[in-house]
Amino acid sequence: MLNDLTIRAATVNGSGSQSSNLVLTHALVRLGIPVAPKNIFPSNIEGLPTWFDVRLSPRGYQCRSRDVDVLVALNLVTWESDIASVKPGGVIVHDASYTVHGATARDDVTYYPVPFTELSKEHFPQGSPRKYLINMIYVGVLAQILAIDLAAVEGALRDQFKRKPAAVELNLSAVHLGYEYARDHLPKVDSYRVEPMPGGTDGLMLMDGNRGAALGCVMGGCTVAAWYPITPSTSLCETFIEYCDRFRVDPATKERRAAIIQAEDELAAIGMVIGAGWAGARAMTSTSGPGISLMAETAGFAYYAEIPGVVFDVQRAGPSTGLPTRTMQGDVSFAAQLSHGDTKHIVLLPATVEESYEFAMSAFDLADRFQTPVFVLSDLDLGMNLWLTTPLAYPEHPFDRGKVLSAEDLGRLSTWGRYRDVDGDGIPYRTIPGTPHPNAGYFTRGSGHDEESRYSESPEVYQRNLDRLLRKYETARGAVPQPLVEETGPDVAILAYGTTHHAVVEARDILRQDGLAVDYLRVRALPFTPEIAAFIARHQRVYVVEQNRDGQLFGLLRAELPANLVERLHSIRHYTGEPIDASAVTVPLLHAERTADQAVAAAVS
Amino acid sequence: MDTIPKSSVNVNASGLTRDVYKGSPSTLCAGCGHNSITNHLIKALYEYGIEPHLLAKMSGIGCSSKTPAYFVERAHGYNGLHGRMPSAATGAKLANRELFLLGISGDGDTASIGLGQYCHLIRRNLDCTYIVEDNGCYGLTKGQFSATADLGSVLKRGQVNEFEMIDLCGLAIELGATFVARSFSGDGKQLVPLLQAAFSHRGAAILDVISPCVTFNDHEGSTKSYAYVKDHEVPLHGTDYFAPRAEIVVDYEPGTVREITLEDGAHIMLRKLHDDYDPTDRIQALRTLHDARTQGELVTGLLYVDTGASDLCERERMPRAPLAAFGEDDLRISRDDWSTLMASFG
């Protein structure tokens, strides 16, 4: 059990446990131990239960584990159920005032009672943030029990409070208080231990996906952001604001090379994005499911009028308000066809912080190149949790602004038509309002229009236009991020996307240990690329794993693939609102495989 | 003696003929108030000398929103979604501050489905001219009441409006609008100078123009019919517009005129008709609207103006250059700063 465990801190929302959890997490990274922190929090500011899991794993698994090895119990309300969550042989550090008897008295776990409140009262003066310091005491207790190097904790703590140096000593003394209390009063009886893994996290850092996406917006040349705050996307736009304040203000003139508008609602947010895209700016909005429901109208307009824009949908559990602080891949099929009529969108599906960053940049290029809204679908798990990631690479490519005609171009051309398919790829040429040429202007409309953007209700013109839009969508198949394939040749494969990836990584290792090797394809965008059908054709059974009830990507694949490939697809679905773990993949997959084996055996006999 | 050859064609300050300001033929009903507004707009835009490539004609959905196709053919047009013109206009202006934004909306587009965006455009003081072609009914769906229809007004089919009207001018003033006017499609003498003053104003210029619907709302019992409006219009003042640097050629009797200097140096001269009306007094403007409503009068003219306020782009400190003009070097974090930034996470 060396360096392979999950520590869970069960606290009350608003009690200030976040700093302590981050200190603990960063201390472990300093020791070279790969971590996967998951914040499981309520839709609430203060008073409801919250949990913070830090998974340590020598192999660097980034998905959640269902097993709780070490529990820090600081919430009496969830005391009973928290105890039940600890696996046999586990450890429970708890407030000494909580009673241990009946249901809470387990004989297969170790209890370490700590008088947190008293310690805090005795050692910290009135007026100091005693309530918050309790959380730092548990960091010290854990450091002692698990043998986490105190110097690493201190380093992480100094880093955590680098903008509040006055808080360092007080918090540090709380860590020592816990450490010394555990040393003097809690003889070690469990078998969990943390050892440094030199080099284990070299070249890695912790970052959340929303920050990665915000940096992608900066480096992708986004100049207009219009948004309506909504969990879990809020930090994406707020981080974009943070970087624009730092890097986009002209030091001489104080002019800002980015406009960020908090809109009155999502209808207006997407309206501003598309207005700005029409006028030549790279524009984005960040939202979640309820937001894209409202944006459906403008998404269809922008698709039909062919105007670029980027929508970040950090998915949360729906339907409706659903679970605003829980994760889901629930908007995939909705986003793919967002709006009425025949509408199809380019959708990017990042799985990592690196991809959150890279796909954000790609999204602006694709939006400009295809003159269409591009959706980037991450989720709460990727967007708001910290992930071990390599440093984000400096972009080496210039912006791809697509087919834009300048005044000089217009001077050379005797005529042009906004929606003519000059190159046969379905992508027309556009001009930017303000281009100083008498022929630059055209009339953008969401109503029927011909190649010259004139109003038209002609059946031929209408169908020709819809066919060209489809041709454009077909062209996009070759331009979106291609799937990633790991293939060694077995009959069985997994197909997944987004954060489900991290559970698949661990699941494949577990299955391999069980003697079942499975190939893997990770879809990274819509429209589907030809490689996806080819991969499915090379396998007998392909398990499509995703985090929603209805098998949304499974459904999109079924709608597009030929019947002989459709029958090879099987759907595995996880939808509790918690991030998916490996067992949610392995258990149903093994069950289905056994059934398939039995069917084969029955057929043979 | 050298003589400058006189051009056989008249041109405006931008060297363009009046024909440049025309558009496609109107597809609205003959006699529609909106067509008159289009003609007044062509005159106002021509005389003002707007450069077509900088003009962005923005609209939503409805009869009114079709009209951007009927003037300045070579300008850019954006006939978007019902009630969403303000947000599109906001995005376009942020993207390029130099664009001259002309929004055309209707009473359904603004007072019902688009009321939220209307309010927030005003609140942000987006630099634009926002015209509501107000006929009190839904023309394209054959004459249902809109939210600007007066209480007690009667539909062609006999239904009586039982709901209070939303006064878009009163609402705009309440929301802090910096230019609010009301006019009548049939009163070009008033509307053209008001339009030009709106063009000269920096910030959101709201013009609610009563524009009778000849097909569905021009009958006895309607309060938005030609006959009713002509009978009940009470102009607050006579209105003259003088472009920046233009000589004021009219001799006004002292004490009979209020002069307002607009942000671009243009002047609007408001000739006193009966009562003295001060369009910089917000409370007087609201009271005037309120009193007119209770007396069944339609007051027209420049209701309120505030020439000192910052517009959205100024408050956001947007650059003069269009955002599309900025490239990688202007927008990306430098390599050195990037390395430092990445190191801060390690």
Side-chain angles (χ1 to χ4, degrees):
Chain A
M1 287 187 269
L2 185 65
N3 292 353
D4 194 359
L5 67 152
T6 294
I7 302 168
R8 163 169 289 190
T11 57
V12 178
N13 204 32
S15 68
S17 56
Q18 194 64 355
S19 303
S20 310
N21 296 328
L22 290 175
V23 166
L24 179 65
T25 305
H26 282 280
L28 294 165
V29 174
R30 280 170 178 257
L31 294 169
I33 302 162
V35 293
K38 304 281 180 210
N39 193 9
I40 301 152
F41 60 103
S43 180
N44 164 263
I45 298 300
E46 190 176 290
L48 288 184
T50 182
W51 297 271
F52 189 89
D53 290 357
V54 193
R55 182 180 184 191
L56 293 67
S57 81
R59 307 190 67 155
Y61 294 132
Q62 290 289 290
C63 62
R64 163 177 164 262
S65 163
R66 282 190 201 194
D67 292 330
V68 175
D69 298 273
V70 177
L71 171 72
V72 178
L74 278 171
N75 185 358
L76 190 57
V77 174
T78 57
W79 168 234
E80 274 195 41
S81 53
D82 285 337
I83 284 187
S85 73
V86 178
K87 75 184 220 189
V91 168
I92 296 169
V93 175
H94 64 97
D95 192 282
S97 67
Y98 298 177
T99 50
V100 179
H101 73 88
T104 58
R106 284 175 54 178
D107 54 13
D108 59 348
V109 295
T110 307
Y111 291 87
Y112 293 120
V114 180
F116 287 105
T117 313
E118 288 74 10
L119 282 175
S120 187
K121 267 193 190 155
E122 280 167 25
H123 287 83
F124 300 115
Q126 225 171 3
S128 65
R130 284 171 173 168
K131 188 176 84 166
Y132 297 152
L133 289 163
I134 285 175
N135 300 301
M136 217 47 93
I137 296 174
Y138 76 62
V139 174
V141 172
L142 289 174
Q144 210 286 326
I145 293 175
L146 298 173
I148 302 169
D149 179 37
L150 262 190
V153 175
E154 182 175 338
L157 191 149
R158 287 191 185 281
D159 219 36
Q160 178 73 26
F161 290 101
K162 67 182 165 214
R163 293 212 184 100
K164 286 185 274 182
V168 168
E169 293 315 317
L170 200 58
N171 279 282
L172 206 51
S173 65
V175 171
H176 286 289
L177 187 62
Y179 188 88
E180 283 150 21
Y181 181 86
R183 183 192 61 202
D184 299 341
H185 299 89
L186 304 173
K188 171 92 172 168
V189 288
D190 68 278
S191 55
Y192 288 98
R193 201 157 50 82
V194 167
E195 260 189 17
M197 285 174 58
T201 53
D202 280 4
L204 297 175
M205 58 189 208
L206 283 168
M207 188 184 276
D208 61 74
N210 281 351
R211 184 170 293 271
L215 284 166
C217 291
V218 176
M219 303 307 268
C222 175
T223 49
V224 174
W227 67 304
Y228 187 79
I230 180 170
T231 306
S233 73
T234 302
S235 62
L236 199 164
C237 230
E238 288 194 328
T239 312
F240 183 66
I241 294 170
E242 175 194 327
Y243 289 124
C244 287
D245 286 346
R246 251 172 96 180
F247 297 110
R248 286 280 187 82
V249 180
D250 187 306
T253 63
K254 303 293 174 206
E255 283 177 350
R256 298 172 59 92
R257 288 173 184 163
I260 302 157
I261 304 292
Q262 188 180 320
E264 54 271 34
D265 54 30
E266 287 91 344
L267 303 170
I270 186 78
M272 290 177 199
V273 166
I274 298 306
W278 176 74
R282 292 194 143 189
M284 71 91 166
T285 183
S286 66
T287 188
S288 190
I292 66 160
S293 283
L294 287 181
M295 292 177 185
E297 173 191 54
T298 297
F301 170 74
Y303 169 78
Y304 194 42
E306 300 182 64
I307 303 171
V310 174
V311 178
F312 292 93
D313 174 7
V314 187
Q315 298 165 98
R316 66 190 214 186
S320 190
T321 304
L323 306 179
T325 58
R326 301 301 153 89
T327 197
M328 193 180 187
Q329 297 179 312
D331 301 344
V332 180
S333 56
F334 185 48
Q337 300 176 3
L338 191 68
S339 210
H340 55 271
D342 283 326
T343 303
K344 284 164 177 280
H345 298 294
I346 295 174
V347 179
L348 307 186
L349 301 164
T352 62
V353 173
E354 288 98 328
E355 285 184 348
S356 296
Y357 165 68
E358 284 163 13
F359 287 10
M361 290 189 287
S362 310
F364 291 101
D365 283 346
L366 288 165
D368 269 348
R369 187 166 159 197
F370 289 92
Q371 301 171 25
T372 197
V374 171
F375 291 79
V376 185
L377 263 59
S378 71
D379 59 28
L380 182 143
D381 187 18
L382 176 56
M384 290 188 74
N385 281 321
L386 290 170
W387 301 75
L388 275 180
T389 181
T390 53
L392 306 176
Y394 199 85
E396 298 303 332
H397 298 288
F399 304 146
D400 179 354
R401 298 301 321 255
K403 299 181 187 179
V404 177
L405 296 174
S406 65
E408 294 70 38
D409 295 331
L410 292 166
R412 281 191 293 274
L413 297 165
S414 53
T415 64
W416 76 287
R418 171 67 181 93
Y419 299 112
R420 289 183 196 163
D421 187 5
V422 177
D423 304 318
D425 56 5
I427 309 170
Y429 286 79
R430 67 171 179 143
T431 56
I432 307 285
T435 303
H437 191 278
N439 294 347
Y442 67 93
F443 201 86
T444 302
R445 56 177 105 234
S447 48
H449 46 267
D450 67 9
E451 284 82 351
E452 318 303 313
S453 72
R454 293 174 300 221
Y455 183 77
S456 171
E457 295 179 4
S458 149
E460 293 78 23
V461 166
Y462 172 74
Q463 190 168 7
R464 206 159 61 222
N465 195 23
L466 282 200
D467 287 344
R468 183 183 54 77
L469 284 165
L470 191 60
R471 201 150 60 239
K472 185 165 90 164
Y473 186 76
E474 290 299 321
T475 304
R477 290 188 198 276
V480 297
Q482 301 295 298
L484 294 183
V485 175
E486 289 179 37
E487 192 167 6
T488 56
D491 287 344
V492 182
I494 290 173
L495 187 150
Y497 59 96
T499 51
T500 304
H501 167 68
H502 305 281
V504 171
V505 169
E506 186 179 5
R508 289 178 73 220
D509 285 353
I510 294 169
L511 293 170
R512 202 175 296 116
Q513 285 155 25
D514 283 1
L516 179 66
V518 290
D519 284 345
Y520 178 35
L521 179 143
R522 179 156 68 84
V523 176
R524 301 201 297 166
L526 302 175
F528 295 127
T529 58
E531 170 57 19
I532 294 170
F535 176 85
I536 295 166
R538 293 195 295 271
H539 295 85
Q540 291 304 310
R541 290 183 298 286
V542 178
Y543 293 91
V544 181
V545 188
E546 53 192 312
Q547 298 176 69
N548 55 63
R549 185 194 64 185
D550 293 341
Q552 296 188 8
L553 195 88
F554 173 71
L556 291 171
L557 284 166
R558 284 167 61 95
E560 208 170 289
L561 291 171
N564 67 316
L565 296 185
V566 165
E567 64 192 22
R568 300 177 187 210
L569 297 179
H570 302 263
S571 179
I572 294 178
R573 307 157 187 198
H574 166 87
Y575 47 97
T576 62
E578 298 161 301
I580 188 170
D581 71 309
S583 73
V585 184
T586 55
V587 173
L589 192 148
L590 285 169
H591 176 75
E593 279 299 296
R594 275 194 294 275
T595 313
D597 285 349
Q598 283 159 10
V600 171
V604 171
S605 66
Chain B
M1 191 170 82
D2 288 343
T3 52
I4 299 164
K6 200 179 172 202
S7 170
S8 57
V9 217
N10 286 328
V11 293
N12 65 9
S14 295
L16 299 168
T17 64
R18 198 172 185 278
D19 279 352
V20 170
Y21 292 83
K22 291 181 178 168
S24 317
S26 170
T27 58
L28 300 175
C29 307
C32 174
H34 301 358
N35 288 333
S36 308
I37 297 175
T38 298
N39 290 331
H40 299 318
L41 260 174
I42 290 169
K43 179 173 161 63
L45 289 163
Y46 165 69
E47 289 177 359
Y48 190 83
I50 279 162
E51 295 182 75
H53 75 274
L54 289 175
L55 174 61
K57 305 173 292 181
M58 315 295 291
S59 66
I61 294 291
C63 294
S64 59
S65 294
K66 291 175 172 230
T67 63
Y70 312 146
F71 61 91
V72 200
E73 178 101 44
R74 64 161 85 146
H76 273 267
Y78 185 106
N79 180 203
L81 291 157
H82 203 12
R84 317 293 179 229
M85 178 270 280
S87 61
T90 304
K93 188 72 181 180
L94 291 169
N96 186 353
R97 213 179 154 168
E98 296 294 307
L99 289 180
F100 183 93
L101 285 187
L102 178 54
I104 312 267
S105 182
D107 38 313
D109 200 56
T110 290
S112 288
I113 195 168
L115 192 59
Q117 296 206 354
Y118 174 71
C119 293
H120 287 273
L121 174 140
I122 291 168
R123 190 177 152 250
R124 294 190 181 99
N125 200 25
L126 183 77
D127 184 19
C128 69
T129 298
Y130 189 124
I131 298 166
V132 183
E133 301 186 342
D134 188 349
N135 57 20
C137 74
Y138 286 76
L140 276 179
T141 52
K142 307 203 171 177
Q144 300 81 4
F145 279 124
S146 82
T148 64
D150 291 299
L151 184 69
S153 187
V154 180
L155 274 190
K156 211 173 179 181
R157 287 171 287 182
Q159 297 99 314
V160 177
N161 183 30
E162 294 174 4
F163 300 104
E164 258 305 345
M165 60 93 82
I166 292 175
D167 184 335
L168 291 172
C169 290
L171 180 63
I173 295 167
E174 187 59 46
L175 289 164
T178 54
F179 184 111
V180 181
R182 176 164 278 148
S183 189
F184 169 44
S185 62
D187 188 353
K189 279 202 173 127
Q190 183 192 58
L191 182 53
V192 171
L194 281 177
L195 283 168
Q196 291 168 334
F199 302 159
S200 285
H201 173 64
R202 189 192 59 225
I206 306 293
L207 285 115
D208 181 35
V209 186
I210 308 305
S211 174
C213 173
V214 285
T215 306
F216 296 109
N217 208 7
D218 197 30
H219 49 271
E220 180 79 28
S222 159
T223 60
K224 295 272 196 288
S225 66
Y226 279 108
Y228 187 92
V229 173
K230 279 179 188 158
D231 283 354
H232 295 81
E233 184 188 0
V234 180
L236 291 168
H237 32 235
T239 312
D240 301 321
Y241 173 84
F242 296 95
R245 291 176 299 279
E247 192 187 342
I248 295 172
V249 290
V250 184
D251 280 332
Y252 294 104
E253 285 289 316
T256 64
V257 70
R258 280 183 184 273
E259 177 180 350
I260 290 167
T261 307
L262 296 157
E263 288 87 338
D264 67 352
H267 297 272
I268 186 155
M269 309 297 279
L270 303 174
R271 284 173 276 115
K272 188 153 86 176
L273 292 180
H274 29 86
D275 298 328
D276 190 23
Y277 184 79
D278 176 6
T280 64
D281 181 342
R282 181 179 289 177
I283 302 303
Q284 189 188 4
L286 288 169
R287 191 183 305 117
T288 301
L289 283 169
H290 176 265
D291 292 349
R293 194 153 134 200
T294 51
Q295 288 154 28
E297 290 175 342
L298 177 74
V299 288
T300 59
L302 181 59
L303 288 161
Y304 180 71
V305 66
D306 168 8
T307 54
S310 302
D311 71 314
L312 179 66
C313 287
E314 196 177 353
R315 257 186 285 117
E316 292 296 315
R317 304 204 307 271
M318 298 309 294
R320 281 279 151 206
L323 294 176
F326 291 103
E328 294 80 0
D329 293 344
D330 310 304
L331 300 179
R332 282 180 176 161
I333 299 168
S334 73
R335 279 180 195 273
D336 285 351
D337 285 343
W338 186 258
S339 304
T340 312
L341 182 65
M342 283 304 122
S344 72
F345 294 103

